Amino acid sequence: MIEKKSIDYEKAVLIGIINREQSEEKVSEYLDELEFLTYTAGGEVTKRFIQRMDVPNPKTLIGSGKMEEVQQYVEENKIGSVIFDDELTPAQQRNIEKILRCKIIDRTSLILDIFAQRAQTSYARTQVELAQYEYLLPRLTGLWTHLERQKGGIGMRGPGETEIETDRRIVRDRITLLKKKLYKIDRQMETQRGNRGALVRVALVGYTNVGKSTLMNVISKSDVFAENKLFATLDTTVRKVVLGNLPFLLSDTVGFIRKLPTQLVESFKSTLDEVREADLLLHVVDISHPQFEEHIDSVNNILSDIKSSDKKTIMVFNKIDQYEHETIDDDDLITERTGRHFTINDWKHTWMEKVGDRAIFISALNKENLDEFRKRVYDEVRDIHVTRFPYNNFLYPEHLDEY
Ligand SMILES: Nc1nc2c(ncn2[C@@H]2O[C@H](COP(=O)(O)OP(=O)(O)OP(=O)(O)O)[C@@H](O)[C@H]2O)c(=O)[nH]1
Ligand SMILES: [Mg+2]
């Protein structure tokens, strides 16, 4: 599925758990995504371990038998990292580290790692660093409690305690400093946004890797970095776009993902201001992805976290060129027809029923249906524009094709 280049990839294994909330099928999908994340972070997955358990082991998450299996594999195959899809408590992480003696990573720290790798500007770096320290702080606390419980003997008190206390203070000081730095940048950016005047603002939002930057480039003839890895974009790019003679601002920003670490949402709040302050959202969806409907839900959850869920939104279903549906034979009476059997036309009907003409199906890559897309955006932007500049109405005709 994922093409590998000839650089050195660190070998990794993935671990997932099947329980009442996560069916076997779901876990396999989650691990597909985790594998893509691992690849983006520079790792190569050589094996997956899956355990069925309703109550996770408080000490090591998975059971001891499974852990032995993993340990043997890790040793025999010189595995660099073991990556868990589920979040580990600080204690679990430490215990597992002791057993497996390699890097132990959970989904949150993996995503943080990718963000750190990809942050280009000092603004993005500051936000990622803040999120990393926020992630670290409770883990230092965990270490501290752990040592506290262990101490008791004479001589155990001194260095351990002060060391961790010092660590915690350093981390807290750093967090305060980073927050101040971000606050300062935020003020500057606010002023910049203020200077843009009252132009209508449109924001591209969506799951990671759905084609937001590609669409931005096509629409605004700009050159935003796009590639087939997760989180290609971390900073927000804003371009002035003119459709007909109607000007508006279009922004492209960081992609969302299932279980986006809360520390990241928190520290990327200002990057997401562009979304929060937008008049219109273009929610881009990769319809060729088998889990695109869950992606829509994840994006909607994050939008509601940042109080932007009631904004006017156009659903933009992208990558129709890559969409494949499964077929059922006419005489197959057993297979139940699900979304996977829908054609693009079936999806069109479904979504038209849900959101009326605020759903559009395109291919940003092959430039399919882009005229209709432009028209739809034009109509919405025009509606907002005429309420904002009531005296300029005559400049902007009812429809884009009246030019
Ligand atoms: N087949 C196909 N691929 C597309 C289409 N649009 C974008 N892509 C590809 O999808 C991948 C991701 O595109 P990006 O534009 O980087 O996606 P993004 O939503 O900006 O991703 P992040 O910035 O990582 O959140 C790239 O390899 C694009 O070439 C499309 O319409 N069809
Ligand atoms: Mg992008």
Side-chain angles (χ1 to χ4, degrees):
M1 180 184 91
I2 297 163
E3 89 274 8
K4 305 234 159 63
K5 300 199 187 96
S6 59
I7 47 169
D8 267 345
Y9 278 90
E10 177 181 316
K11 281 205 235 165
V13 300
L14 306 184
I15 297 187
I17 287 177
I18 301 172
N19 55 29
R20 273 184 225 108
E21 283 103 52
Q22 313 187 145
S23 67
E24 188 170 353
E25 200 194 355
K26 278 273 149 314
V27 172
S28 143
E29 291 164 6
Y30 293 163
L31 292 189
D32 284 346
E33 185 172 85
L34 198 67
E35 179 166 349
F36 200 0
L37 283 166
T38 307
Y39 160 71
T40 302
E44 183 191 359
V45 175
T46 58
K47 195 171 166 73
R48 297 176 176 194
F49 290 90
I50 295 174
Q51 186 165 40
R52 203 178 282 273
M53 61 191 322
D54 277 327
V55 187
N57 183 322
K59 290 208 179 98
T60 52
L61 193 80
I62 54 173
S64 54
K66 193 54 118 191
M67 191 57 91
E68 259 170 47
E69 219 182 288
V70 177
Q71 187 194 358
Q72 197 177 353
Y73 183 85
V74 164
E75 254 176 43
E76 279 168 10
N77 297 280
K78 299 198 173 56
I79 299 300
S81 329
V82 174
I83 306 177
F84 289 76
D85 192 48
D86 303 83
E87 188 146 345
L88 298 169
T89 65
Q92 283 171 336
Q93 180 156 2
R94 228 175 16 249
N95 293 335
I96 301 169
E97 223 152 29
K98 265 192 213 141
I99 300 171
L100 298 180
R101 274 170 290 163
C102 65
K103 268 180 285 171
I104 307 302
I105 298 170
D106 61 11
R107 197 182 157 84
T108 304
S109 55
L110 182 59
I111 295 176
L112 284 171
D113 190 59
I114 295 171
F115 269 64
Q117 225 179 51
R118 307 217 131 203
Q120 300 269 331
T121 60
S122 108
Y123 187 47
R125 276 201 296 271
T126 312
Q127 293 180 102
V128 176
E129 208 186 326
L130 176 61
Q132 282 179 313
Y133 278 121
E134 303 265 15
Y135 176 80
L136 190 67
L137 193 59
R139 280 161 176 77
L140 287 176
T141 317
L143 194 65
W144 160 240
T145 352
H146 164 75
L147 282 184
E148 193 177 38
R149 236 184 276 121
Q150 246 192 11
K151 67 179 181 197
I154 299 168
M156 287 303 291
R157 204 171 275 265
E161 185 174 320
T162 19
E163 218 170 86
I164 287 147
E165 274 300 294
T166 316
D167 281 357
R168 288 173 69 188
R169 202 166 35 243
I170 293 172
V171 171
R172 278 214 204 88
D173 287 352
R174 193 77 195 138
I175 289 179
T176 314
L177 197 84
L178 289 168
K179 280 189 175 159
K180 271 193 200 142
K181 199 168 153 189
L182 281 178
Y183 182 80
K184 227 165 115 187
I185 308 178
D186 285 349
R187 288 286 88 78
Q188 288 165 1
M189 294 182 71
E190 235 174 70
T191 323
Q192 273 174 22
R193 284 201 296 270
N195 289 344
R196 287 194 212 134
L199 281 184
V200 174
R201 283 153 65 174
V202 181
L204 290 158
V205 294
Y207 212 75
T208 179
N209 209 44
V210 295
K212 298 179 293 298
S213 299
T214 310
L215 188 57
M216 170 90 166
N217 290 340
V218 173
I219 295 301
S220 69
K221 299 183 187 69
S222 62
D223 207 1
V224 178
F225 182 62
E227 72 166 336
N228 192 23
K229 280 192 177 176
L230 303 177
F231 304 113
T233 311
L234 282 196
D235 285 290
T236 304
T237 313
V238 183
R239 294 270 178 278
K240 187 169 165 185
V241 178
V242 183
L243 287 182
N245 61 353
L246 179 64
F248 63 92
L249 296 173
L250 181 64
S251 72
D252 173 28
T253 192
V254 56
F256 299 162
I257 195 163
R258 185 182 76 93
K259 288 196 189 164
L260 188 66
T262 43
Q263 298 93 340
L264 274 177
V265 181
E266 195 51 43
S267 63
F268 269 75
K269 268 211 157 78
S270 10
T271 294
L272 296 170
D273 274 347
E274 210 62 56
V275 174
R276 220 188 330 263
E277 294 172 11
D279 304 291
L280 172 69
L281 301 183
L282 305 178
H283 181 163
V284 185
V285 178
D286 172 0
I287 195 167
S288 74
H289 196 290
Q291 281 90 48
F292 79 87
E293 286 179 294
E294 276 153 61
H295 292 177
I296 294 176
D297 292 341
S298 297
V299 170
N300 284 339
N301 284 337
I302 295 168
L303 285 177
S304 111
D305 279 353
I306 61 167
K307 302 191 171 47
S308 302
S309 51
D310 49 2
K311 280 187 192 296
K312 203 184 240 198
T313 303
I314 302 179
M315 298 297 297
V316 183
F317 294 91
N318 188 31
K319 306 200 189 178
I320 52 170
D321 60 288
Q322 207 172 257
Y323 181 76
E324 279 170 22
H325 67 273
E326 290 168 18
T327 45
I328 311 180
D329 292 340
D330 284 343
D331 44 357
D332 181 353
L333 299 174
I334 302 157
T335 312
E336 202 187 323
R337 190 167 182 267
T338 66
R340 294 191 182 189
H341 303 102
F342 279 24
T343 62
I344 288 282
N345 258 333
D346 293 332
W347 283 120
K348 274 186 192 163
H349 287 301
T350 312
W351 278 91
M352 299 288 169
E353 258 169 41
K354 279 194 206 171
V355 297
D357 61 0
R358 292 223 178 108
I360 179 122
F361 292 72
I362 63 162
S363 163
L365 196 68
N366 294 354
K367 304 192 168 57
E368 262 174 272
N369 225 7
L370 287 187
D371 281 343
E372 200 186 331
F373 168 77
R374 285 195 186 89
K375 229 181 253 174
R376 195 62 48 81
V377 174
Y378 176 89
D379 288 349
E380 297 289 349
V381 172
R382 185 187 179 280
D383 284 353
I384 303 165
H385 196 93
V386 294
T387 55
R388 197 162 298 171
F389 303 98
Y391 307 110
N392 278 350
N393 282 359
F394 63 93
L395 281 175
Y396 306 110
E398 276 294 331
H399 299 291
L400 187 54
D401 46 10
E402 286 168 27
Y403 278 94

mmCIF file of all heavy atoms in Angstrom, residues 112 115 119 121-134 178 182 185-186 189 234-236 263-272:
data_model
loop_
_atom_site.group_PDB
_atom_site.id
_atom_site.type_symbol
_atom_site.label_atom_id
_atom_site.label_comp_id
_atom_site.label_asym_id
_atom_site.label_seq_id
_atom_site.Cartn_x
_atom_site.Cartn_y
_atom_site.Cartn_z
ATOM 1 N N LEU A 112 2.794 13.493 18.015
ATOM 2 C CA LEU A 112 3.626 14.621 18.463
ATOM 3 C C LEU A 112 4.980 14.594 17.755
ATOM 4 O O LEU A 112 5.509 15.625 17.345
ATOM 5 C CB LEU A 112 3.832 14.560 19.976
ATOM 6 C CG LEU A 112 2.645 14.989 20.837
ATOM 7 C CD1 LEU A 112 2.898 14.675 22.301
ATOM 8 C CD2 LEU A 112 2.362 16.480 20.659
ATOM 9 N N PHE A 115 4.628 15.829 14.192
ATOM 10 C CA PHE A 115 4.469 17.283 14.198
ATOM 11 C C PHE A 115 5.822 17.949 14.431
ATOM 12 O O PHE A 115 6.148 18.940 13.786
ATOM 13 C CB PHE A 115 3.475 17.712 15.292
ATOM 14 C CG PHE A 115 2.057 17.786 14.804
ATOM 15 C CD1 PHE A 115 1.391 16.657 14.374
ATOM 16 C CD2 PHE A 115 1.379 18.999 14.775
ATOM 17 C CE1 PHE A 115 0.084 16.717 13.921
ATOM 18 C CE2 PHE A 115 0.064 19.079 14.324
ATOM 19 C CZ PHE A 115 -0.579 17.936 13.906
ATOM 20 N N ALA A 119 7.444 20.531 11.713
ATOM 21 C CA ALA A 119 7.289 21.957 12.003
ATOM 22 C C ALA A 119 8.407 22.745 11.342
ATOM 23 O O ALA A 119 9.581 22.470 11.575
ATOM 24 C CB ALA A 119 7.289 22.186 13.509
ATOM 25 N N THR A 121 8.222 26.523 10.610
ATOM 26 C CA THR A 121 8.388 27.889 11.076
ATOM 27 C C THR A 121 8.581 27.892 12.589
ATOM 28 O O THR A 121 8.262 26.919 13.264
ATOM 29 C CB THR A 121 7.137 28.713 10.772
ATOM 30 O OG1 THR A 121 6.046 28.083 11.452
ATOM 31 C CG2 THR A 121 6.848 28.765 9.295
ATOM 32 N N SER A 122 9.086 29.000 13.091
ATOM 33 C CA SER A 122 9.312 29.063 14.539
ATOM 34 C C SER A 122 7.964 29.036 15.266
ATOM 35 O O SER A 122 7.856 28.516 16.371
ATOM 36 C CB SER A 122 10.142 30.295 14.886
ATOM 37 O OG SER A 122 9.360 31.262 15.522
ATOM 38 N N TYR A 123 6.933 29.543 14.596
ATOM 39 C CA TYR A 123 5.598 29.518 15.194
ATOM 40 C C TYR A 123 5.120 28.078 15.406
ATOM 41 O O TYR A 123 4.719 27.688 16.507
ATOM 42 C CB TYR A 123 4.627 30.271 14.285
ATOM 43 C CG TYR A 123 3.246 30.468 14.864
ATOM 44 C CD1 TYR A 123 3.073 30.933 16.159
ATOM 45 C CD2 TYR A 123 2.120 30.201 14.096
ATOM 46 C CE1 TYR A 123 1.819 31.126 16.687
ATOM 47 C CE2 TYR A 123 0.854 30.396 14.619
ATOM 48 C CZ TYR A 123 0.714 30.864 15.917
ATOM 49 O OH TYR A 123 -0.538 31.045 16.431
ATOM 50 N N ALA A 124 5.216 27.267 14.332
ATOM 51 C CA ALA A 124 4.793 25.862 14.435
ATOM 52 C C ALA A 124 5.662 25.120 15.447
ATOM 53 O O ALA A 124 5.169 24.341 16.254
ATOM 54 C CB ALA A 124 4.862 25.192 13.065
ATOM 55 N N ARG A 125 6.968 25.379 15.407
ATOM 56 C CA ARG A 125 7.868 24.695 16.341
ATOM 57 C C ARG A 125 7.506 25.009 17.785
ATOM 58 O O ARG A 125 7.510 24.139 18.641
ATOM 59 C CB ARG A 125 9.322 25.070 16.057
ATOM 60 C CG ARG A 125 9.952 24.225 14.939
ATOM 61 C CD ARG A 125 11.464 24.246 15.032
ATOM 62 N NE ARG A 125 11.980 25.604 14.824
ATOM 63 C CZ ARG A 125 12.290 26.092 13.629
ATOM 64 N NH1 ARG A 125 12.160 25.339 12.551
ATOM 65 N NH2 ARG A 125 12.739 27.316 13.501
ATOM 66 N N THR A 126 7.200 26.288 18.035
ATOM 67 C CA THR A 126 6.845 26.678 19.400
ATOM 68 C C THR A 126 5.582 25.951 19.852
ATOM 69 O O THR A 126 5.498 25.453 20.976
ATOM 70 C CB THR A 126 6.614 28.210 19.464
ATOM 71 O OG1 THR A 126 7.696 28.859 18.817
ATOM 72 C CG2 THR A 126 6.526 28.698 20.893
ATOM 73 N N GLN A 127 4.605 25.865 18.961
ATOM 74 C CA GLN A 127 3.353 25.204 19.328
ATOM 75 C C GLN A 127 3.557 23.712 19.587
ATOM 76 O O GLN A 127 3.019 23.153 20.540
ATOM 77 C CB GLN A 127 2.310 25.394 18.217
ATOM 78 C CG GLN A 127 1.881 26.839 18.069
ATOM 79 C CD GLN A 127 0.843 27.031 16.960
ATOM 80 O OE1 GLN A 127 -0.341 27.167 17.200
ATOM 81 N NE2 GLN A 127 1.299 27.041 15.742
ATOM 82 N N VAL A 128 4.386 23.080 18.761
ATOM 83 C CA VAL A 128 4.637 21.649 18.953
ATOM 84 C C VAL A 128 5.412 21.421 20.245
ATOM 85 O O VAL A 128 5.104 20.520 21.024
ATOM 86 C CB VAL A 128 5.437 21.061 17.763
ATOM 87 C CG1 VAL A 128 5.763 19.602 18.027
ATOM 88 C CG2 VAL A 128 4.645 21.176 16.480
ATOM 89 N N GLU A 129 6.408 22.276 20.484
ATOM 90 C CA GLU A 129 7.215 22.112 21.686
ATOM 91 C C GLU A 129 6.336 22.224 22.926
ATOM 92 O O GLU A 129 6.459 21.442 23.865
ATOM 93 C CB GLU A 129 8.323 23.175 21.704
ATOM 94 C CG GLU A 129 9.556 22.726 22.459
ATOM 95 C CD GLU A 129 10.594 23.833 22.603
ATOM 96 O OE1 GLU A 129 10.712 24.661 21.664
ATOM 97 O OE2 GLU A 129 11.251 23.884 23.642
ATOM 98 N N LEU A 130 5.426 23.178 22.887
ATOM 99 C CA LEU A 130 4.511 23.346 24.009
ATOM 100 C C LEU A 130 3.693 22.060 24.222
ATOM 101 O O LEU A 130 3.583 21.559 25.338
ATOM 102 C CB LEU A 130 3.581 24.537 23.757
ATOM 103 C CG LEU A 130 2.499 24.795 24.806
ATOM 104 C CD1 LEU A 130 3.124 25.082 26.180
ATOM 105 C CD2 LEU A 130 1.605 25.975 24.401
ATOM 106 N N ALA A 131 3.173 21.511 23.134
ATOM 107 C CA ALA A 131 2.375 20.281 23.241
ATOM 108 C C ALA A 131 3.224 19.134 23.795
ATOM 109 O O ALA A 131 2.761 18.323 24.602
ATOM 110 C CB ALA A 131 1.808 19.910 21.882
ATOM 111 N N GLN A 132 4.492 19.062 23.381
ATOM 112 C CA GLN A 132 5.353 17.982 23.852
ATOM 113 C C GLN A 132 5.622 18.091 25.354
ATOM 114 O O GLN A 132 5.607 17.097 26.065
ATOM 115 C CB GLN A 132 6.678 17.988 23.087
ATOM 116 C CG GLN A 132 6.541 17.383 21.700
ATOM 117 C CD GLN A 132 7.836 17.400 20.935
ATOM 118 O OE1 GLN A 132 8.515 18.439 20.905
ATOM 119 N NE2 GLN A 132 8.193 16.300 20.313
ATOM 120 N N TYR A 133 5.848 19.320 25.809
ATOM 121 C CA TYR A 133 6.081 19.490 27.246
ATOM 122 C C TYR A 133 4.822 19.194 28.050
ATOM 123 O O TYR A 133 4.884 18.642 29.138
ATOM 124 C CB TYR A 133 6.600 20.896 27.546
ATOM 125 C CG TYR A 133 8.089 21.021 27.307
ATOM 126 C CD1 TYR A 133 8.604 21.929 26.408
ATOM 127 C CD2 TYR A 133 8.988 20.203 28.003
ATOM 128 C CE1 TYR A 133 9.974 22.029 26.178
ATOM 129 C CE2 TYR A 133 10.350 20.289 27.784
ATOM 130 C CZ TYR A 133 10.838 21.204 26.870
ATOM 131 O OH TYR A 133 12.178 21.290 26.659
ATOM 132 N N GLU A 134 3.678 19.574 27.491
ATOM 133 C CA GLU A 134 2.415 19.287 28.183
ATOM 134 C C GLU A 134 2.220 17.768 28.313
ATOM 135 O O GLU A 134 1.681 17.275 29.282
ATOM 136 C CB GLU A 134 1.213 19.889 27.429
ATOM 137 C CG GLU A 134 1.289 21.393 27.209
ATOM 138 C CD GLU A 134 0.557 22.189 28.273
ATOM 139 O OE1 GLU A 134 0.239 21.591 29.316
ATOM 140 O OE2 GLU A 134 0.331 23.399 28.063
ATOM 141 N N LEU A 178 7.091 29.285 26.734
ATOM 142 C CA LEU A 178 6.533 29.024 25.403
ATOM 143 C C LEU A 178 5.167 29.678 25.254
ATOM 144 O O LEU A 178 4.830 30.221 24.203
ATOM 145 C CB LEU A 178 6.423 27.510 25.161
ATOM 146 C CG LEU A 178 7.743 26.774 24.963
ATOM 147 C CD1 LEU A 178 7.540 25.268 25.020
ATOM 148 C CD2 LEU A 178 8.373 27.163 23.629
ATOM 149 N N LEU A 182 4.132 32.355 22.465
ATOM 150 C CA LEU A 182 2.982 32.182 21.577
ATOM 151 C C LEU A 182 2.020 33.353 21.685
ATOM 152 O O LEU A 182 1.466 33.818 20.695
ATOM 153 C CB LEU A 182 2.240 30.883 21.912
ATOM 154 C CG LEU A 182 2.864 29.606 21.368
ATOM 155 C CD1 LEU A 182 2.056 28.402 21.811
ATOM 156 C CD2 LEU A 182 2.943 29.645 19.841
ATOM 157 N N ILE A 185 3.324 36.125 19.566
ATOM 158 C CA ILE A 185 3.110 35.882 18.131
ATOM 159 C C ILE A 185 1.626 36.033 17.787
ATOM 160 O O ILE A 185 1.271 36.598 16.762
ATOM 161 C CB ILE A 185 3.595 34.479 17.709
ATOM 162 C CG1 ILE A 185 5.027 34.243 18.163
ATOM 163 C CG2 ILE A 185 3.512 34.317 16.187
ATOM 164 C CD1 ILE A 185 5.587 32.864 17.832
ATOM 165 N N ASP A 186 0.769 35.520 18.693
ATOM 166 C CA ASP A 186 -0.679 35.616 18.457
ATOM 167 C C ASP A 186 -1.129 37.047 18.267
ATOM 168 O O ASP A 186 -1.935 37.353 17.403
ATOM 169 C CB ASP A 186 -1.456 35.026 19.637
ATOM 170 C CG ASP A 186 -1.393 33.517 19.619
ATOM 171 O OD1 ASP A 186 -0.938 32.978 18.598
ATOM 172 O OD2 ASP A 186 -1.778 32.903 20.622
ATOM 173 N N MET A 189 -0.177 38.198 14.903
ATOM 174 C CA MET A 189 -1.002 37.607 13.857
ATOM 175 C C MET A 189 -2.406 38.198 13.857
ATOM 176 O O MET A 189 -3.014 38.365 12.812
ATOM 177 C CB MET A 189 -1.049 36.091 14.012
ATOM 178 C CG MET A 189 0.316 35.523 13.766
ATOM 179 S SD MET A 189 0.438 33.767 13.856
ATOM 180 C CE MET A 189 -0.386 33.198 12.434
ATOM 181 N N LEU A 234 1.519 22.095 8.391
ATOM 182 C CA LEU A 234 1.334 22.416 9.813
ATOM 183 C C LEU A 234 0.977 23.879 10.014
ATOM 184 O O LEU A 234 0.280 24.241 10.943
ATOM 185 C CB LEU A 234 2.589 22.108 10.619
ATOM 186 C CG LEU A 234 2.854 20.651 10.968
ATOM 187 C CD1 LEU A 234 3.888 20.570 12.073
ATOM 188 C CD2 LEU A 234 1.597 19.940 11.418
ATOM 189 N N ASP A 235 1.510 24.720 9.136
ATOM 190 C CA ASP A 235 1.200 26.141 9.278
ATOM 191 C C ASP A 235 -0.002 26.497 8.414
ATOM 192 O O ASP A 235 -0.355 25.771 7.503
ATOM 193 C CB ASP A 235 2.394 26.980 8.826
ATOM 194 C CG ASP A 235 3.480 26.946 9.858
ATOM 195 O OD1 ASP A 235 3.280 27.537 10.932
ATOM 196 O OD2 ASP A 235 4.515 26.311 9.605
ATOM 197 N N THR A 236 -0.582 27.622 8.726
ATOM 198 C CA THR A 236 -1.711 28.060 7.923
ATOM 199 C C THR A 236 -1.215 28.967 6.803
ATOM 200 O O THR A 236 -0.399 29.841 7.033
ATOM 201 C CB THR A 236 -2.702 28.833 8.809
ATOM 202 O OG1 THR A 236 -3.068 27.985 9.889
ATOM 203 C CG2 THR A 236 -3.934 29.221 8.034
ATOM 204 N N GLN A 263 -3.357 17.893 23.697
ATOM 205 C CA GLN A 263 -2.293 18.900 23.872
ATOM 206 C C GLN A 263 -2.064 19.653 22.563
ATOM 207 O O GLN A 263 -1.765 20.834 22.564
ATOM 208 C CB GLN A 263 -0.957 18.239 24.262
ATOM 209 C CG GLN A 263 -0.974 17.504 25.567
ATOM 210 C CD GLN A 263 -1.295 16.018 25.365
ATOM 211 O OE1 GLN A 263 -1.847 15.621 24.354
ATOM 212 N NE2 GLN A 263 -0.963 15.211 26.354
ATOM 213 N N LEU A 264 -2.212 18.927 21.440
ATOM 214 C CA LEU A 264 -1.982 19.572 20.149
ATOM 215 C C LEU A 264 -3.111 20.528 19.788
ATOM 216 O O LEU A 264 -2.876 21.636 19.327
ATOM 217 C CB LEU A 264 -1.818 18.526 19.050
ATOM 218 C CG LEU A 264 -0.406 17.982 18.874
ATOM 219 C CD1 LEU A 264 -0.379 16.912 17.809
ATOM 220 C CD2 LEU A 264 0.562 19.096 18.509
ATOM 221 N N VAL A 265 -4.354 20.073 20.002
ATOM 222 C CA VAL A 265 -5.494 20.951 19.700
ATOM 223 C C VAL A 265 -5.344 22.226 20.525
ATOM 224 O O VAL A 265 -5.514 23.339 20.023
ATOM 225 C CB VAL A 265 -6.834 20.266 20.034
ATOM 226 C CG1 VAL A 265 -8.004 21.173 19.706
ATOM 227 C CG2 VAL A 265 -6.973 18.950 19.278
ATOM 228 N N GLU A 266 -4.978 22.018 21.784
ATOM 229 C CA GLU A 266 -4.805 23.129 22.714
ATOM 230 C C GLU A 266 -3.732 24.101 22.202
ATOM 231 O O GLU A 266 -3.983 25.287 22.048
ATOM 232 C CB GLU A 266 -4.399 22.513 24.071
ATOM 233 C CG GLU A 266 -4.483 23.395 25.271
ATOM 234 C CD GLU A 266 -5.826 24.098 25.422
ATOM 235 O OE1 GLU A 266 -6.905 23.470 25.226
ATOM 236 O OE2 GLU A 266 -5.766 25.283 25.730
ATOM 237 N N SER A 267 -2.538 23.578 21.879
ATOM 238 C CA SER A 267 -1.463 24.508 21.552
ATOM 239 C C SER A 267 -1.555 24.999 20.105
ATOM 240 O O SER A 267 -0.938 25.994 19.753
ATOM 241 C CB SER A 267 -0.094 23.898 21.844
ATOM 242 O OG SER A 267 0.108 22.784 21.041
ATOM 243 N N PHE A 268 -2.337 24.301 19.277
ATOM 244 C CA PHE A 268 -2.528 24.780 17.904
ATOM 245 C C PHE A 268 -3.763 25.672 17.775
ATOM 246 O O PHE A 268 -4.194 25.987 16.682
ATOM 247 C CB PHE A 268 -2.604 23.612 16.910
ATOM 248 C CG PHE A 268 -1.263 23.246 16.348
ATOM 249 C CD1 PHE A 268 -0.355 22.547 17.126
ATOM 250 C CD2 PHE A 268 -0.885 23.633 15.080
ATOM 251 C CE1 PHE A 268 0.901 22.232 16.630
ATOM 252 C CE2 PHE A 268 0.369 23.317 14.582
ATOM 253 C CZ PHE A 268 1.264 22.609 15.359
ATOM 254 N N LYS A 269 -4.306 26.058 18.924
ATOM 255 C CA LYS A 269 -5.510 26.886 18.937
ATOM 256 C C LYS A 269 -5.376 28.095 18.031
ATOM 257 O O LYS A 269 -6.295 28.426 17.287
ATOM 258 C CB LYS A 269 -5.814 27.342 20.372
ATOM 259 C CG LYS A 269 -6.742 26.391 21.089
ATOM 260 C CD LYS A 269 -7.619 27.132 22.095
ATOM 261 C CE LYS A 269 -8.866 26.331 22.364
ATOM 262 N NZ LYS A 269 -8.639 25.214 23.269
ATOM 263 N N SER A 270 -4.201 28.744 18.094
ATOM 264 C CA SER A 270 -4.068 29.982 17.323
ATOM 265 C C SER A 270 -3.938 29.695 15.833
ATOM 266 O O SER A 270 -4.426 30.460 15.003
ATOM 267 C CB SER A 270 -2.906 30.825 17.819
ATOM 268 O OG SER A 270 -2.135 30.120 18.726
ATOM 269 N N THR A 271 -3.283 28.561 15.482
ATOM 270 C CA THR A 271 -3.256 28.181 14.075
ATOM 271 C C THR A 271 -4.682 27.962 13.595
ATOM 272 O O THR A 271 -5.044 28.284 12.464
ATOM 273 C CB THR A 271 -2.431 26.890 13.884
ATOM 274 O OG1 THR A 271 -1.085 27.166 14.199
ATOM 275 C CG2 THR A 271 -2.506 26.385 12.467
ATOM 276 N N LEU A 272 -5.500 27.437 14.489
ATOM 277 C CA LEU A 272 -6.878 27.134 14.126
ATOM 278 C C LEU A 272 -7.801 28.354 14.194
ATOM 279 O O LEU A 272 -8.967 28.272 13.838
ATOM 280 C CB LEU A 272 -7.416 26.006 15.004
ATOM 281 C CG LEU A 272 -6.677 24.668 14.817
ATOM 282 C CD1 LEU A 272 -7.092 23.660 15.869
ATOM 283 C CD2 LEU A 272 -6.893 24.104 13.421
#
